Amino acid sequence: MASRNSKQDELYDRFKQYSGLSNKHLDFCRDVILAAEYRFIDSDGDSDSYSVDDDRLDIRVKHLKADGSEFTLADIPMKSLVDAIEDHIQMYIPEYRRTEVYKKVVEGVHGIKQTPKWDRQADNPRAVPQTPFSESRDPPESRKTNEVLFRKFASASELERETLAHIRGMIVWRDSARSNGTWGAIEWGTFEVTGGRLGPTEDHSLADVPNCYVRDRLMAAISADVDPDRGGQVWKIVFSDLTSSQIKEYAATIDEMERQAEPHKPAKTRKSRKSRGVFDRAMKVREIQYSRKICPQEAEAIMKQEELLDAIDDTINLAPNPSFTALKMKPDEFHPSCFSWRTKYSVSTPNTQVKGDAEATVPSGCDIDRDCDQVRAMIKILVRKGHWTMEQFTHALEGPRRPQITKFLEKRGPLQGKQSEAFRRCWDFFKRRELLGFELTDPPPRPSGLAREVRELTKLREVDPNHGTKRPSLKGSERPGKVRKV
């Protein structure tokens, strides 16, 4: 069993000590690191089998190794743990404290760079303030981070989401410029920036931009994009460290710099003239990302599944197909349904686990009586017209992840995908529902036990004697009735 006083535990304890973040935040961060690293190691380090497009990380649960012992920080390679902590520091620790916190955390750790990545960026021409007001005049501990600055700007300006995405993307893209005049590449659909001064393959985010430069660009955006009637209010909210006269001077200075600057065209990764449909799709992906608080890659994967479901014909005949019964359900000795003492996900109620013998089980060797197109149509009906989401359905399969389900949905033809694990697990899910008597669009069963008794008691409530259900007669009952007042 891993030691609780491992070097990794000591490193994370130092991070907790010096970060200044709340215990709740730090515990959540630790759970995320453990879950992400466990998933990667569980895939044997195979980058083809590991993907951020998989379902969300299972956090705040115990992860077990092959020998049954718990997977802990001590099982994470030191470099991987330091990289995760370094990213967290850059995202959540104020800029003036980042380097100090990082150095205290990694002090004395052998084989780890003692200088954080943001201080190793020698080519950073926009780190020097361009005006007397570019650097915040608030005390260092009170200065707004880039993310806070942009959120306040977005809230106060009331600009459209696509306009805000464009402004944010252009701030990051401008900062990607190297001292030699070359630029990074920008993806117009999502405004993501790659390459530039951080390296030819490195992603460039708002956290990488110097705070003083973010302030300059937001001041320029207020003049160019915000309604003049709201401009004064936005100034005060974003630049609360400056007086009204200083704000006006700052705005005039930035306007003059904008007039003198030579226009540049961003490097392209695709054609700049996109159809409206493609742009709308990009905004839908971004909407998924924001609403679910997930990474862009995961949002793109969800959007792709939705498009694949749209293309599936759900009007085909779903009756059992005798000509397809040459395939048989393979026995799965590791599936939870094979053990009555283990829990498995219910096929009748989303996000619910039941004992292995609590619901119907498909016998091994049973004929698979529906073809691949029928199963794909059943998936579409379940998540579009039923009471399940795609995420709930994938969890209930207890095996295939989102990439495997997506590959199965991409195929067309009754035999296309028949050898995949995703097809067999999906068929097993629907067969178990069928054995339980559930149609594809049936709602989950009502809860039993106490909840049922409460409903029955509710039916016995007093009602208007001339309307609705009356209390059942107590005549013939062994229990004495209540004495009624006269």
Side-chain angles (χ1 to χ4, degrees):
M1 182 175 291
S3 171
R4 297 184 63 85
N5 297 320
S6 66
K7 292 181 179 179
Q8 290 89 331
D9 287 312
E10 293 175 3
L11 182 82
Y12 200 81
D13 286 342
R14 288 206 295 271
F15 175 49
K16 294 175 68 174
Q17 178 182 354
Y18 297 116
S19 68
L21 299 171
S22 68
N23 288 334
K24 183 178 180 181
H25 184 117
L26 291 164
D27 289 343
F28 181 78
C29 172
R30 177 182 177 278
D31 291 338
V32 169
I33 293 173
L34 281 170
E37 195 64 28
Y38 178 80
R39 177 184 292 181
F40 179 74
I41 292 177
D42 192 44
S43 66
D44 297 326
D46 183 3
S47 59
D48 291 333
S49 61
Y50 171 79
S51 170
V52 295
D53 293 343
D54 287 350
D55 291 315
R56 298 183 185 183
L57 296 174
D58 294 326
I59 60 174
R60 292 178 179 166
V61 298
K62 285 186 177 182
H63 301 287
L64 301 181
K65 297 184 290 186
D67 62 1
S69 60
E70 184 178 358
F71 182 83
T72 66
L73 288 177
D75 299 300
I76 300 178
M78 182 63 77
K79 186 178 184 308
S80 298
L81 180 60
V82 171
D83 288 345
I85 291 176
E86 186 178 29
D87 289 339
H88 207 80
I89 290 174
Q90 185 177 19
M91 185 175 297
Y92 293 104
I93 304 297
E95 190 173 357
Y96 80 99
R97 292 188 60 234
R98 287 177 189 167
T99 301
E100 175 191 1
V101 171
Y102 176 84
K103 288 184 175 181
K104 287 182 177 179
V105 171
V106 302
E107 183 178 5
V109 180
H110 180 69
I112 298 298
K113 293 181 179 180
Q114 301 296 303
T115 303
K117 59 183 179 182
W118 50 86
D119 284 347
R120 297 196 295 266
Q121 299 165 3
D123 188 11
N124 194 359
R126 281 152 298 282
V128 179
Q130 298 298 302
T131 77
F133 312 105
S134 298
E135 192 169 3
S136 175
R137 301 195 175 189
D138 282 334
E141 64 274 9
S142 303
R143 292 181 180 177
K144 303 179 184 73
T145 64
N146 293 351
E147 199 63 44
V148 171
L149 275 173
F150 195 85
R151 283 206 303 265
K152 288 186 174 294
F153 166 75
S155 175
S157 65
E158 296 185 355
L159 294 173
E160 295 290 335
R161 176 165 289 181
E162 57 189 71
T163 303
L164 291 170
H166 180 270
I167 293 172
R168 184 185 180 113
M170 292 305 292
I171 292 175
V172 177
W173 171 76
R174 284 173 176 266
D175 183 60
S176 72
R178 304 182 185 91
S179 299
N180 63 7
T182 58
W183 300 68
I186 186 169
E187 170 56 63
W188 288 109
T190 60
F191 299 105
E192 294 175 352
V193 178
T194 306
R197 66 178 181 85
L198 299 184
T201 60
E202 295 294 323
D203 292 333
H204 204 102
S205 67
L206 190 66
D208 298 310
V209 183
N211 187 260
C212 59
Y213 187 68
V214 173
R215 284 168 60 92
D216 288 350
R217 299 316 309 160
L218 290 181
M219 176 58 80
I222 293 173
S223 299
D225 299 295
V226 177
D227 189 323
D229 293 337
R230 298 192 58 81
Q233 180 183 354
V234 180
W235 276 343
K236 291 179 181 179
I237 292 174
V238 177
F239 304 106
S240 56
D241 57 300
L242 302 177
T243 64
S244 296
S245 59
Q246 290 172 336
I247 289 175
K248 291 179 180 179
E249 186 177 348
Y250 188 13
T253 304
I254 293 297
D255 286 344
E256 182 60 28
M257 291 172 61
E258 289 291 291
R259 282 192 290 270
Q260 294 178 0
E262 294 182 2
H264 293 282
K265 292 184 178 180
K268 302 174 184 176
T269 55
R270 295 182 183 177
K271 293 181 180 180
S272 58
R273 291 186 178 181
K274 289 196 165 196
S275 67
R276 183 66 188 176
V278 175
F279 183 79
D280 288 345
R281 182 188 185 280
M283 296 313 299
K284 288 179 181 178
V285 172
R286 204 164 189 84
E287 178 69 28
I288 294 172
Q289 178 189 349
Y290 285 147
S291 63
R292 304 195 186 189
K293 298 180 180 179
I294 55 179
C295 65
Q297 295 90 338
E298 190 174 358
E300 175 64 34
I302 292 173
M303 186 65 188
K304 183 177 180 180
Q305 275 195 342
E306 291 297 317
E307 292 170 338
L308 291 173
L309 288 174
D310 288 339
I312 291 173
D313 181 7
D314 60 353
T315 63
I316 63 175
N317 185 0
L318 298 181
N321 185 356
S323 63
F324 198 74
T325 56
L327 276 180
K328 294 184 180 295
M329 190 63 186
K330 292 181 179 179
D332 187 351
E333 58 182 338
F334 299 109
H335 194 271
S337 62
C338 298
F339 302 95
S340 61
W341 51 269
R342 288 186 60 180
T343 60
K344 62 181 179 180
Y345 278 96
S346 169
V347 298
S348 61
T349 307
N351 292 334
T352 302
Q353 288 190 323
V354 296
K355 288 185 178 181
D357 58 355
E359 291 185 344
T361 300
V362 180
S364 61
C366 178
D367 290 336
I368 296 180
D369 56 0
R370 286 180 174 84
D371 61 38
C372 299
D373 279 341
Q374 288 177 309
V375 170
R376 281 187 279 265
M378 293 167 81
I379 294 173
K380 179 176 180 179
I381 295 171
L382 181 78
V383 301
R384 290 289 176 83
K385 303 176 183 178
H387 296 262
W388 291 66
T389 66
M390 199 64 193
E391 287 74 19
Q392 292 167 342
F393 172 68
T394 304
H395 273 301
L397 297 181
E398 300 190 77
R401 300 281 189 172
R402 179 179 288 123
Q404 288 75 44
I405 301 298
T406 300
K407 283 184 179 180
F408 175 66
L409 294 177
E410 286 175 337
K411 301 180 183 298
R412 294 292 180 270
L415 302 179
Q416 299 304 309
K418 67 177 183 179
Q419 299 299 334
S420 69
E421 179 69 11
F423 166 64
R424 294 176 182 274
R425 287 291 174 89
C426 291
W427 177 86
D428 179 77
F429 173 92
F430 291 118
K431 193 64 177 179
R432 287 163 57 198
R433 280 183 64 91
E434 181 181 316
L435 293 174
L436 291 171
F438 285 98
E439 299 290 340
L440 294 175
T441 57
D442 281 351
R446 293 183 176 182
S448 58
L450 181 60
R452 179 185 297 170
E453 294 177 11
V454 171
R455 286 197 309 274
E456 293 301 323
L457 289 172
T458 303
K459 293 179 181 179
L460 301 180
R461 69 185 184 278
E462 288 285 358
V463 294
D464 185 333
N466 297 317
H467 297 85
T469 305
K470 301 179 181 179
R471 284 182 178 273
S473 172
L474 294 174
K475 186 176 181 180
S477 171
E478 296 180 0
R479 298 178 57 187
K482 282 188 177 181
V483 177
R484 299 182 62 184
K485 293 182 179 180
V486 272

